[in-house]
Each structure stands twice: as structure tokens, then as C-alpha cells.
Amino acid sequence: MTASPPPSPPGTTEESGTPDGTVLILGGTTEARALAGALTGFAVITSLAGRTSSPLLPAGEVRIGGFGGAEGLTGFLRERRIDILIDATHPFAARISANAAVAAGAAGIPLLVLRRPGWTERPGDDWRRVPDLDAAAAALPEAGRRVFLTTGRQGLAAFAHLDECWFLARSVEPPAGPRPRNLDVLLDRGPFTLDGELRVMRDHRIDVLVSKDSGGSTAKLDAARTLGIPVVLVERPPGTATATTVEELLKVIETLR
Ligand code: NAP
């Protein structure tokens, strides 16, 4: 009787069963999850901040919670003998990205940054680009009074003083802390569709959309264009991407083997 060899454990090469090294992915995005599933030949650890109570989990090992600043992250990189650090966090998660740059330098390992591209205005769009959430709040109520606020539950404080506006804030988890007086919360997690976004905006008689320039699905922007609604768009903090797609990043990793 012949026994077939056991399948290679995740993150190992078919030929040897031995991983080429260990990769730490700083995650919390769709792209990070896709990358963890697509990366072969490495042992993969994904790190999540722990902001949502039931996160969608990627393939491979997952750790949850902050590291304790750049120093804590450096310690983790050394302890777990990480060979490559990949920052695949959200374009607006500026603190962890800054920590990643410092920690990779301190540990002497390569840092790759995966950032999906920002959005591009199309004919029919009425976008008002602003540098931050405070400037987005300052654009109201001139831009509109019935506001679809999709900037995440942690940014509600910037809009808390706007008593003359009504807000529909969409977030995965219920918001905490200061928030506008006239506020309804829509608990929901993407992906969102054009039809769904049109329904939400029509049902709530939305007349302005506030969003970060997160990139990815354009459903809410397409809905705003269809309805002739202006968009107050918060620009990204500066940062340099190694790759803008999972495929591109996989190619860069090949060069590091
Ligand atoms: P942030 O301001 O850059 O990070 C704040 C702190 O949270 C960091 O200093 C770090 O704590 C911890 N942290 C963040 N990301 C982490 C990760 N992947 N693994 C372990 N610790 C992490 O980030 P944020 O804007 O609060 O976002 C938190 C997470 O949510 C990110 O992973 C991001 O990808 C995801 N996310 C953010 C947004 C957004 O709009 N900001 C939207 C969707 C998803 P220590 O200093 O203690 O290590």
C-alpha cells in the first residue's frame, strides 16, 4: 500500500514543505485579507488592531491588538523572526504606518506597503476635496444639511457641533464618544452595491455625502453622481506605496526570495 504525502502546511513550498520565511501583514483591509490568502511559500501572520468585535479573518495565523508603539512592533518583529513586514492597513491608518516604517528600519527588514489607489473624479461628479475631517465639517452646511457620513465611527467628534445638520453615520460598530445631536446610525459592513447605496440615500433624503478618499468600491460615489449629490472628500495623509494591488505586491515579494 502506498500512502500519499501529507499536504504542505500553509505558508510552505510544495517541494520542501519548508517556508521561505515569515511575513507579518499589518491588516484590517480587504486587500490584506486577499494577500494573506494568496501568499504562498511563506509562513503568514496577520495583525489586526481589534477595532471590530467579529472581524473577517484571513488565512494563516492571526494576532489581534496593538503592539505598544513602534518599539513594541520592533520587539514583535525580532521575537517572531519576521523576514518581511507588509503594511496593508487602510490609507487613513497613519499611526500604525509610521510605526511600521520605524520598526522595519530598527529590525533591519524590508517594509512593503500595499495601498489601493485613491478615487478619480468622473464627469458629473461634484467633489469638494478637503484635507481633514475638521475641514469636511467646515464644508457643512453649505454643501448640504442631510449628510451621509461614511468616515468611520472614530471621526464623529469633528461633526459634533453641527446642530443645523442631520447625519446618517454608517459604521461597522456602534459609535462612542462625542457625536452630532441629530444623528442616526446605520450599522453595516461592505461590500456595498450601487442599488443599495441609492436606496439608502433616497430613503434618508441625503443631500451630501462625506467620505474619506479610501479607494476601492465606488458604489457610494456612483450613487451620489446618479442623484446629483455633492461629495465632501477627505484627502489621504501622505504616504508612499510599494504596490497598489495584491498581484503587484506578490511580484515584488518574488524579488525578495
Ligand atoms: P491608526 O490610527 O494608524 O493606529 C492606532 C493604533 O492602533 C496603532 O498605533 C496601533 O497600536 C494600533 N493598530 C492599528 N492597526 C493595527 C494593526 N493592523 N495591528 C495591530 N495594531 C494596530 O489606525 P486606525 O485608523 O485606528 O485603524 C485601525 C485599523 O483599522 C487598521 O488596521 C486599519 O487598517 C483598519 N481600518 C482603518 C480605517 C480608517 O479609516 N482609519 C478604515 C478601515 C479599516 P500600537 O501603537 O499599540 O501598536
PDB file of all heavy atoms in Angstrom, residues 15-56:
ATOM      1  N   GLU A  15       7.550  21.857  -2.705  1.00  0.00           N
ATOM      2  CA  GLU A  15       8.686  20.959  -2.859  1.00  0.00           C
ATOM      3  C   GLU A  15       9.285  20.555  -1.506  1.00  0.00           C
ATOM      4  O   GLU A  15       9.489  19.395  -1.215  1.00  0.00           O
ATOM      5  CB  GLU A  15       9.778  21.634  -3.688  1.00  0.00           C
ATOM      6  CG  GLU A  15       9.396  22.018  -5.103  1.00  0.00           C
ATOM      7  CD  GLU A  15       8.504  23.249  -5.179  1.00  0.00           C
ATOM      8  OE1 GLU A  15       8.577  24.080  -4.254  1.00  0.00           O
ATOM      9  OE2 GLU A  15       7.712  23.345  -6.131  1.00  0.00           O
ATOM     10  N   SER A  16       9.558  21.504  -0.671  1.00  0.00           N
ATOM     11  CA  SER A  16      10.307  21.209   0.535  1.00  0.00           C
ATOM     12  C   SER A  16       9.444  21.150   1.787  1.00  0.00           C
ATOM     13  O   SER A  16       9.810  20.549   2.777  1.00  0.00           O
ATOM     14  CB  SER A  16      11.365  22.300   0.748  1.00  0.00           C
ATOM     15  OG  SER A  16      10.706  23.519   1.001  1.00  0.00           O
ATOM     16  N   GLY A  17       8.261  21.766   1.743  1.00  0.00           N
ATOM     17  CA  GLY A  17       7.441  21.847   2.947  1.00  0.00           C
ATOM     18  C   GLY A  17       7.994  22.837   3.952  1.00  0.00           C
ATOM     19  O   GLY A  17       7.486  22.965   5.056  1.00  0.00           O
ATOM     20  N   THR A  18       9.075  23.520   3.564  1.00  0.00           N
ATOM     21  CA  THR A  18       9.687  24.476   4.490  1.00  0.00           C
ATOM     22  C   THR A  18       9.399  25.895   4.032  1.00  0.00           C
ATOM     23  O   THR A  18       9.648  26.231   2.877  1.00  0.00           O
ATOM     24  CB  THR A  18      11.217  24.273   4.518  1.00  0.00           C
ATOM     25  OG1 THR A  18      11.452  22.899   4.755  1.00  0.00           O
ATOM     26  CG2 THR A  18      11.858  25.114   5.609  1.00  0.00           C
ATOM     27  N   PRO A  19       8.878  26.756   4.924  1.00  0.00           N
ATOM     28  CA  PRO A  19       8.609  28.124   4.476  1.00  0.00           C
ATOM     29  C   PRO A  19       9.890  28.857   4.125  1.00  0.00           C
ATOM     30  O   PRO A  19      10.946  28.603   4.701  1.00  0.00           O
ATOM     31  CB  PRO A  19       7.934  28.774   5.683  1.00  0.00           C
ATOM     32  CG  PRO A  19       7.916  27.788   6.779  1.00  0.00           C
ATOM     33  CD  PRO A  19       8.520  26.524   6.321  1.00  0.00           C
ATOM     34  N   ASP A  20       9.784  29.777   3.145  1.00  0.00           N
ATOM     35  CA  ASP A  20      10.929  30.607   2.764  1.00  0.00           C
ATOM     36  C   ASP A  20      11.216  31.667   3.811  1.00  0.00           C
ATOM     37  O   ASP A  20      12.234  32.347   3.750  1.00  0.00           O
ATOM     38  CB  ASP A  20      10.640  31.318   1.427  1.00  0.00           C
ATOM     39  CG  ASP A  20      10.732  30.354   0.266  1.00  0.00           C
ATOM     40  OD1 ASP A  20      11.284  29.260   0.456  1.00  0.00           O
ATOM     41  OD2 ASP A  20      10.241  30.688  -0.818  1.00  0.00           O
ATOM     42  N   GLY A  21      10.306  31.847   4.705  1.00  0.00           N
ATOM     43  CA  GLY A  21      10.472  32.861   5.730  1.00  0.00           C
ATOM     44  C   GLY A  21       9.108  33.210   6.314  1.00  0.00           C
ATOM     45  O   GLY A  21       8.105  32.581   5.968  1.00  0.00           O
ATOM     46  N   THR A  22       9.102  34.204   7.193  1.00  0.00           N
ATOM     47  CA  THR A  22       7.842  34.597   7.826  1.00  0.00           C
ATOM     48  C   THR A  22       7.527  36.047   7.477  1.00  0.00           C
ATOM     49  O   THR A  22       8.389  36.916   7.567  1.00  0.00           O
ATOM     50  CB  THR A  22       7.943  34.445   9.359  1.00  0.00           C
ATOM     51  OG1 THR A  22       8.327  33.102   9.647  1.00  0.00           O
ATOM     52  CG2 THR A  22       6.618  34.737  10.036  1.00  0.00           C
ATOM     53  N   VAL A  23       6.276  36.241   7.081  1.00  0.00           N
ATOM     54  CA  VAL A  23       5.810  37.573   6.691  1.00  0.00           C
ATOM     55  C   VAL A  23       4.784  38.049   7.707  1.00  0.00           C
ATOM     56  O   VAL A  23       3.894  37.287   8.092  1.00  0.00           O
ATOM     57  CB  VAL A  23       5.161  37.507   5.285  1.00  0.00           C
ATOM     58  CG1 VAL A  23       4.430  38.798   4.956  1.00  0.00           C
ATOM     59  CG2 VAL A  23       6.207  37.212   4.228  1.00  0.00           C
ATOM     60  N   LEU A  24       4.924  39.282   8.162  1.00  0.00           N
ATOM     61  CA  LEU A  24       3.887  39.879   9.007  1.00  0.00           C
ATOM     62  C   LEU A  24       3.109  40.885   8.169  1.00  0.00           C
ATOM     63  O   LEU A  24       3.690  41.842   7.632  1.00  0.00           O
ATOM     64  CB  LEU A  24       4.503  40.587  10.221  1.00  0.00           C
ATOM     65  CG  LEU A  24       3.503  41.351  11.105  1.00  0.00           C
ATOM     66  CD1 LEU A  24       2.485  40.404  11.746  1.00  0.00           C
ATOM     67  CD2 LEU A  24       4.223  42.161  12.194  1.00  0.00           C
ATOM     68  N   ILE A  25       1.798  40.672   8.064  1.00  0.00           N
ATOM     69  CA  ILE A  25       0.929  41.605   7.349  1.00  0.00           C
ATOM     70  C   ILE A  25       0.166  42.434   8.375  1.00  0.00           C
ATOM     71  O   ILE A  25      -0.548  41.880   9.213  1.00  0.00           O
ATOM     72  CB  ILE A  25      -0.090  40.859   6.456  1.00  0.00           C
ATOM     73  CG1 ILE A  25       0.623  39.977   5.418  1.00  0.00           C
ATOM     74  CG2 ILE A  25      -1.023  41.852   5.759  1.00  0.00           C
ATOM     75  CD1 ILE A  25      -0.328  39.110   4.593  1.00  0.00           C
ATOM     76  N   LEU A  26       0.343  43.744   8.325  1.00  0.00           N
ATOM     77  CA  LEU A  26      -0.487  44.635   9.134  1.00  0.00           C
ATOM     78  C   LEU A  26      -1.766  44.835   8.347  1.00  0.00           C
ATOM     79  O   LEU A  26      -1.739  45.367   7.239  1.00  0.00           O
ATOM     80  CB  LEU A  26       0.226  45.964   9.379  1.00  0.00           C
ATOM     81  CG  LEU A  26       1.583  45.832  10.081  1.00  0.00           C
ATOM     82  CD1 LEU A  26       2.304  47.173  10.121  1.00  0.00           C
ATOM     83  CD2 LEU A  26       1.406  45.285  11.497  1.00  0.00           C
ATOM     84  N   GLY A  27      -2.891  44.371   8.889  1.00  0.00           N
ATOM     85  CA  GLY A  27      -4.100  44.242   8.091  1.00  0.00           C
ATOM     86  C   GLY A  27      -5.230  45.166   8.508  1.00  0.00           C
ATOM     87  O   GLY A  27      -5.011  46.279   8.964  1.00  0.00           O
ATOM     88  N   GLY A  28      -6.440  44.652   8.335  1.00  0.00           N
ATOM     89  CA  GLY A  28      -7.625  45.456   8.615  1.00  0.00           C
ATOM     90  C   GLY A  28      -8.288  45.956   7.344  1.00  0.00           C
ATOM     91  O   GLY A  28      -9.140  46.831   7.388  1.00  0.00           O
ATOM     92  N   THR A  29      -7.877  45.391   6.198  1.00  0.00           N
ATOM     93  CA  THR A  29      -8.451  45.790   4.908  1.00  0.00           C
ATOM     94  C   THR A  29      -8.771  44.535   4.084  1.00  0.00           C
ATOM     95  O   THR A  29      -8.245  43.448   4.356  1.00  0.00           O
ATOM     96  CB  THR A  29      -7.443  46.634   4.091  1.00  0.00           C
ATOM     97  OG1 THR A  29      -6.255  45.841   3.899  1.00  0.00           O
ATOM     98  CG2 THR A  29      -7.066  47.916   4.805  1.00  0.00           C
ATOM     99  N   THR A  30      -9.603  44.733   3.066  1.00  0.00           N
ATOM    100  CA  THR A  30      -9.928  43.631   2.147  1.00  0.00           C
ATOM    101  C   THR A  30      -8.664  43.136   1.464  1.00  0.00           C
ATOM    102  O   THR A  30      -8.463  41.919   1.296  1.00  0.00           O
ATOM    103  CB  THR A  30     -10.904  44.164   1.056  1.00  0.00           C
ATOM    104  OG1 THR A  30     -11.982  44.813   1.714  1.00  0.00           O
ATOM    105  CG2 THR A  30     -11.435  43.060   0.188  1.00  0.00           C
ATOM    106  N   GLU A  31      -7.802  44.087   1.082  1.00  0.00           N
ATOM    107  CA  GLU A  31      -6.579  43.734   0.355  1.00  0.00           C
ATOM    108  C   GLU A  31      -5.652  42.894   1.235  1.00  0.00           C
ATOM    109  O   GLU A  31      -5.001  41.958   0.766  1.00  0.00           O
ATOM    110  CB  GLU A  31      -5.842  44.984  -0.105  1.00  0.00           C
ATOM    111  CG  GLU A  31      -6.513  45.752  -1.219  1.00  0.00           C
ATOM    112  CD  GLU A  31      -7.723  46.555  -0.761  1.00  0.00           C
ATOM    113  OE1 GLU A  31      -7.887  46.744   0.465  1.00  0.00           O
ATOM    114  OE2 GLU A  31      -8.509  46.968  -1.611  1.00  0.00           O
ATOM    115  N   ALA A  32      -5.560  43.224   2.513  1.00  0.00           N
ATOM    116  CA  ALA A  32      -4.694  42.467   3.421  1.00  0.00           C
ATOM    117  C   ALA A  32      -5.176  41.026   3.533  1.00  0.00           C
ATOM    118  O   ALA A  32      -4.384  40.078   3.547  1.00  0.00           O
ATOM    119  CB  ALA A  32      -4.680  43.134   4.795  1.00  0.00           C
ATOM    120  N   ARG A  33      -6.509  40.873   3.565  1.00  0.00           N
ATOM    121  CA  ARG A  33      -7.080  39.524   3.669  1.00  0.00           C
ATOM    122  C   ARG A  33      -6.801  38.744   2.389  1.00  0.00           C
ATOM    123  O   ARG A  33      -6.428  37.571   2.425  1.00  0.00           O
ATOM    124  CB  ARG A  33      -8.579  39.646   3.909  1.00  0.00           C
ATOM    125  CG  ARG A  33      -9.084  38.695   4.938  1.00  0.00           C
ATOM    126  CD  ARG A  33     -10.499  38.935   5.397  1.00  0.00           C
ATOM    127  NE  ARG A  33     -11.424  39.454   4.441  1.00  0.00           N
ATOM    128  CZ  ARG A  33     -11.910  40.680   4.444  1.00  0.00           C
ATOM    129  NH1 ARG A  33     -11.523  41.534   5.352  1.00  0.00           N
ATOM    130  NH2 ARG A  33     -12.783  41.068   3.538  1.00  0.00           N
ATOM    131  N   ALA A  34      -6.950  39.406   1.257  1.00  0.00           N
ATOM    132  CA  ALA A  34      -6.684  38.743  -0.021  1.00  0.00           C
ATOM    133  C   ALA A  34      -5.215  38.353  -0.114  1.00  0.00           C
ATOM    134  O   ALA A  34      -4.872  37.254  -0.574  1.00  0.00           O
ATOM    135  CB  ALA A  34      -7.059  39.675  -1.170  1.00  0.00           C
ATOM    136  N   LEU A  35      -4.356  39.220   0.347  1.00  0.00           N
ATOM    137  CA  LEU A  35      -2.915  38.955   0.276  1.00  0.00           C
ATOM    138  C   LEU A  35      -2.547  37.742   1.138  1.00  0.00           C
ATOM    139  O   LEU A  35      -1.787  36.872   0.707  1.00  0.00           O
ATOM    140  CB  LEU A  35      -2.143  40.196   0.749  1.00  0.00           C
ATOM    141  CG  LEU A  35      -0.632  40.080   0.766  1.00  0.00           C
ATOM    142  CD1 LEU A  35      -0.094  39.856  -0.639  1.00  0.00           C
ATOM    143  CD2 LEU A  35       0.004  41.330   1.385  1.00  0.00           C
ATOM    144  N   ALA A  36      -3.106  37.683   2.343  1.00  0.00           N
ATOM    145  CA  ALA A  36      -2.802  36.559   3.233  1.00  0.00           C
ATOM    146  C   ALA A  36      -3.221  35.237   2.576  1.00  0.00           C
ATOM    147  O   ALA A  36      -2.543  34.217   2.733  1.00  0.00           O
ATOM    148  CB  ALA A  36      -3.515  36.746   4.576  1.00  0.00           C
ATOM    149  N   GLY A  37      -4.307  35.269   1.826  1.00  0.00           N
ATOM    150  CA  GLY A  37      -4.784  34.057   1.152  1.00  0.00           C
ATOM    151  C   GLY A  37      -3.955  33.710  -0.070  1.00  0.00           C
ATOM    152  O   GLY A  37      -3.874  32.550  -0.467  1.00  0.00           O
ATOM    153  N   ALA A  38      -3.328  34.715  -0.678  1.00  0.00           N
ATOM    154  CA  ALA A  38      -2.627  34.497  -1.956  1.00  0.00           C
ATOM    155  C   ALA A  38      -1.141  34.225  -1.787  1.00  0.00           C
ATOM    156  O   ALA A  38      -0.489  33.743  -2.706  1.00  0.00           O
ATOM    157  CB  ALA A  38      -2.805  35.738  -2.841  1.00  0.00           C
ATOM    158  N   LEU A  39      -0.609  34.525  -0.610  1.00  0.00           N
ATOM    159  CA  LEU A  39       0.844  34.432  -0.407  1.00  0.00           C
ATOM    160  C   LEU A  39       1.242  32.987  -0.129  1.00  0.00           C
ATOM    161  O   LEU A  39       0.873  32.423   0.892  1.00  0.00           O
ATOM    162  CB  LEU A  39       1.195  35.318   0.795  1.00  0.00           C
ATOM    163  CG  LEU A  39       2.607  35.857   0.941  1.00  0.00           C
ATOM    164  CD1 LEU A  39       3.109  36.471  -0.348  1.00  0.00           C
ATOM    165  CD2 LEU A  39       2.612  36.897   2.053  1.00  0.00           C
ATOM    166  N   THR A  40       1.990  32.385  -1.035  1.00  0.00           N
ATOM    167  CA  THR A  40       2.417  31.006  -0.818  1.00  0.00           C
ATOM    168  C   THR A  40       3.922  30.976  -0.585  1.00  0.00           C
ATOM    169  O   THR A  40       4.643  31.884  -0.991  1.00  0.00           O
ATOM    170  CB  THR A  40       2.086  30.126  -2.048  1.00  0.00           C
ATOM    171  OG1 THR A  40       2.665  30.739  -3.191  1.00  0.00           O
ATOM    172  CG2 THR A  40       0.602  29.952  -2.222  1.00  0.00           C
ATOM    173  N   GLY A  41       4.376  29.956   0.087  1.00  0.00           N
ATOM    174  CA  GLY A  41       5.807  29.784   0.295  1.00  0.00           C
ATOM    175  C   GLY A  41       6.323  30.477   1.546  1.00  0.00           C
ATOM    176  O   GLY A  41       7.486  30.316   1.912  1.00  0.00           O
ATOM    177  N   PHE A  42       5.476  31.253   2.209  1.00  0.00           N
ATOM    178  CA  PHE A  42       5.868  31.923   3.447  1.00  0.00           C
ATOM    179  C   PHE A  42       4.904  31.529   4.564  1.00  0.00           C
ATOM    180  O   PHE A  42       3.733  31.251   4.319  1.00  0.00           O
ATOM    181  CB  PHE A  42       5.777  33.446   3.291  1.00  0.00           C
ATOM    182  CG  PHE A  42       6.841  34.046   2.425  1.00  0.00           C
ATOM    183  CD1 PHE A  42       6.618  34.292   1.085  1.00  0.00           C
ATOM    184  CD2 PHE A  42       8.082  34.374   2.957  1.00  0.00           C
ATOM    185  CE1 PHE A  42       7.595  34.855   0.284  1.00  0.00           C
ATOM    186  CE2 PHE A  42       9.070  34.938   2.169  1.00  0.00           C
ATOM    187  CZ  PHE A  42       8.832  35.176   0.826  1.00  0.00           C
ATOM    188  N   ALA A  43       5.400  31.512   5.781  1.00  0.00           N
ATOM    189  CA  ALA A  43       4.501  31.482   6.925  1.00  0.00           C
ATOM    190  C   ALA A  43       3.949  32.901   7.065  1.00  0.00           C
ATOM    191  O   ALA A  43       4.706  33.861   7.003  1.00  0.00           O
ATOM    192  CB  ALA A  43       5.254  31.077   8.176  1.00  0.00           C
ATOM    193  N   VAL A  44       2.624  33.020   7.203  1.00  0.00           N
ATOM    194  CA  VAL A  44       1.995  34.344   7.214  1.00  0.00           C
ATOM    195  C   VAL A  44       1.318  34.608   8.554  1.00  0.00           C
ATOM    196  O   VAL A  44       0.532  33.788   9.040  1.00  0.00           O
ATOM    197  CB  VAL A  44       0.946  34.455   6.078  1.00  0.00           C
ATOM    198  CG1 VAL A  44       0.236  35.799   6.140  1.00  0.00           C
ATOM    199  CG2 VAL A  44       1.599  34.276   4.728  1.00  0.00           C
ATOM    200  N   ILE A  45       1.651  35.733   9.132  1.00  0.00           N
ATOM    201  CA  ILE A  45       0.951  36.211  10.328  1.00  0.00           C
ATOM    202  C   ILE A  45       0.258  37.509   9.948  1.00  0.00           C
ATOM    203  O   ILE A  45       0.894  38.397   9.373  1.00  0.00           O
ATOM    204  CB  ILE A  45       1.917  36.507  11.493  1.00  0.00           C
ATOM    205  CG1 ILE A  45       2.804  35.292  11.785  1.00  0.00           C
ATOM    206  CG2 ILE A  45       1.151  36.936  12.735  1.00  0.00           C
ATOM    207  CD1 ILE A  45       3.932  35.587  12.805  1.00  0.00           C
ATOM    208  N   THR A  46      -1.030  37.622  10.234  1.00  0.00           N
ATOM    209  CA  THR A  46      -1.727  38.900  10.017  1.00  0.00           C
ATOM    210  C   THR A  46      -2.026  39.518  11.371  1.00  0.00           C
ATOM    211  O   THR A  46      -2.442  38.838  12.310  1.00  0.00           O
ATOM    212  CB  THR A  46      -3.051  38.695   9.251  1.00  0.00           C
ATOM    213  OG1 THR A  46      -2.764  38.196   7.948  1.00  0.00           O
ATOM    214  CG2 THR A  46      -3.815  40.009   9.118  1.00  0.00           C
ATOM    215  N   SER A  47      -1.800  40.830  11.443  1.00  0.00           N
ATOM    216  CA  SER A  47      -2.103  41.549  12.672  1.00  0.00           C
ATOM    217  C   SER A  47      -3.290  42.475  12.456  1.00  0.00           C
ATOM    218  O   SER A  47      -3.327  43.237  11.494  1.00  0.00           O
ATOM    219  CB  SER A  47      -0.882  42.372  13.095  1.00  0.00           C
ATOM    220  OG  SER A  47      -1.236  43.178  14.202  1.00  0.00           O
ATOM    221  N   LEU A  48      -4.261  42.393  13.366  1.00  0.00           N
ATOM    222  CA  LEU A  48      -5.429  43.281  13.326  1.00  0.00           C
ATOM    223  C   LEU A  48      -5.435  44.145  14.578  1.00  0.00           C
ATOM    224  O   LEU A  48      -4.993  43.702  15.647  1.00  0.00           O
ATOM    225  CB  LEU A  48      -6.726  42.458  13.273  1.00  0.00           C
ATOM    226  CG  LEU A  48      -6.863  41.495  12.104  1.00  0.00           C
ATOM    227  CD1 LEU A  48      -8.138  40.661  12.248  1.00  0.00           C
ATOM    228  CD2 LEU A  48      -6.869  42.240  10.780  1.00  0.00           C
ATOM    229  N   ALA A  49      -5.970  45.374  14.435  1.00  0.00           N
ATOM    230  CA  ALA A  49      -5.969  46.297  15.577  1.00  0.00           C
ATOM    231  C   ALA A  49      -6.957  45.864  16.655  1.00  0.00           C
ATOM    232  O   ALA A  49      -6.778  46.178  17.833  1.00  0.00           O
ATOM    233  CB  ALA A  49      -6.297  47.706  15.099  1.00  0.00           C
ATOM    234  N   GLY A  50      -8.033  45.168  16.237  1.00  0.00           N
ATOM    235  CA  GLY A  50      -9.043  44.753  17.215  1.00  0.00           C
ATOM    236  C   GLY A  50     -10.162  45.774  17.355  1.00  0.00           C
ATOM    237  O   GLY A  50     -10.821  45.843  18.383  1.00  0.00           O
ATOM    238  N   ARG A  51     -10.393  46.570  16.310  1.00  0.00           N
ATOM    239  CA  ARG A  51     -11.435  47.601  16.367  1.00  0.00           C
ATOM    240  C   ARG A  51     -12.841  47.002  16.249  1.00  0.00           C
ATOM    241  O   ARG A  51     -13.792  47.557  16.756  1.00  0.00           O
ATOM    242  CB  ARG A  51     -11.258  48.617  15.239  1.00  0.00           C
ATOM    243  CG  ARG A  51      -9.995  49.414  15.294  1.00  0.00           C
ATOM    244  CD  ARG A  51     -10.034  50.506  16.333  1.00  0.00           C
ATOM    245  NE  ARG A  51      -8.845  51.318  16.227  1.00  0.00           N
ATOM    246  CZ  ARG A  51      -7.689  51.034  16.837  1.00  0.00           C
ATOM    247  NH1 ARG A  51      -7.604  49.986  17.621  1.00  0.00           N
ATOM    248  NH2 ARG A  51      -6.634  51.807  16.674  1.00  0.00           N
ATOM    249  N   THR A  52     -12.971  45.893  15.513  1.00  0.00           N
ATOM    250  CA  THR A  52     -14.301  45.292  15.351  1.00  0.00           C
ATOM    251  C   THR A  52     -14.376  43.992  16.128  1.00  0.00           C
ATOM    252  O   THR A  52     -13.392  43.263  16.247  1.00  0.00           O
ATOM    253  CB  THR A  52     -14.614  45.016  13.855  1.00  0.00           C
ATOM    254  OG1 THR A  52     -13.539  44.245  13.306  1.00  0.00           O
ATOM    255  CG2 THR A  52     -14.731  46.292  13.068  1.00  0.00           C
ATOM    256  N   SER A  53     -15.588  43.720  16.678  1.00  0.00           N
ATOM    257  CA  SER A  53     -15.714  42.568  17.573  1.00  0.00           C
ATOM    258  C   SER A  53     -15.764  41.243  16.821  1.00  0.00           C
ATOM    259  O   SER A  53     -15.418  40.206  17.387  1.00  0.00           O
ATOM    260  CB  SER A  53     -16.942  42.733  18.469  1.00  0.00           C
ATOM    261  OG  SER A  53     -18.055  43.079  17.688  1.00  0.00           O
ATOM    262  N   SER A  54     -16.232  41.244  15.576  1.00  0.00           N
ATOM    263  CA  SER A  54     -16.218  39.976  14.816  1.00  0.00           C
ATOM    264  C   SER A  54     -15.569  40.224  13.457  1.00  0.00           C
ATOM    265  O   SER A  54     -16.254  40.272  12.437  1.00  0.00           O
ATOM    266  CB  SER A  54     -17.632  39.426  14.663  1.00  0.00           C
ATOM    267  OG  SER A  54     -18.466  40.421  14.121  1.00  0.00           O
ATOM    268  N   PRO A  55     -14.226  40.401  13.442  1.00  0.00           N
ATOM    269  CA  PRO A  55     -13.549  40.696  12.183  1.00  0.00           C
ATOM    270  C   PRO A  55     -13.593  39.522  11.207  1.00  0.00           C
ATOM    271  O   PRO A  55     -13.717  38.369  11.629  1.00  0.00           O
ATOM    272  CB  PRO A  55     -12.099  40.959  12.631  1.00  0.00           C
ATOM    273  CG  PRO A  55     -11.947  40.235  13.920  1.00  0.00           C
ATOM    274  CD  PRO A  55     -13.304  40.232  14.569  1.00  0.00           C
ATOM    275  N   LEU A  56     -13.544  39.853   9.912  1.00  0.00           N
ATOM    276  CA  LEU A  56     -13.406  38.806   8.902  1.00  0.00           C
ATOM    277  C   LEU A  56     -11.959  38.340   8.965  1.00  0.00           C
ATOM    278  O   LEU A  56     -11.037  39.142   8.809  1.00  0.00           O
ATOM    279  CB  LEU A  56     -13.722  39.376   7.512  1.00  0.00           C
ATOM    280  CG  LEU A  56     -15.124  39.982   7.357  1.00  0.00           C
ATOM    281  CD1 LEU A  56     -15.278  40.667   6.008  1.00  0.00           C
ATOM    282  CD2 LEU A  56     -16.189  38.904   7.527  1.00  0.00           C
TER     283      LEU A  56
END
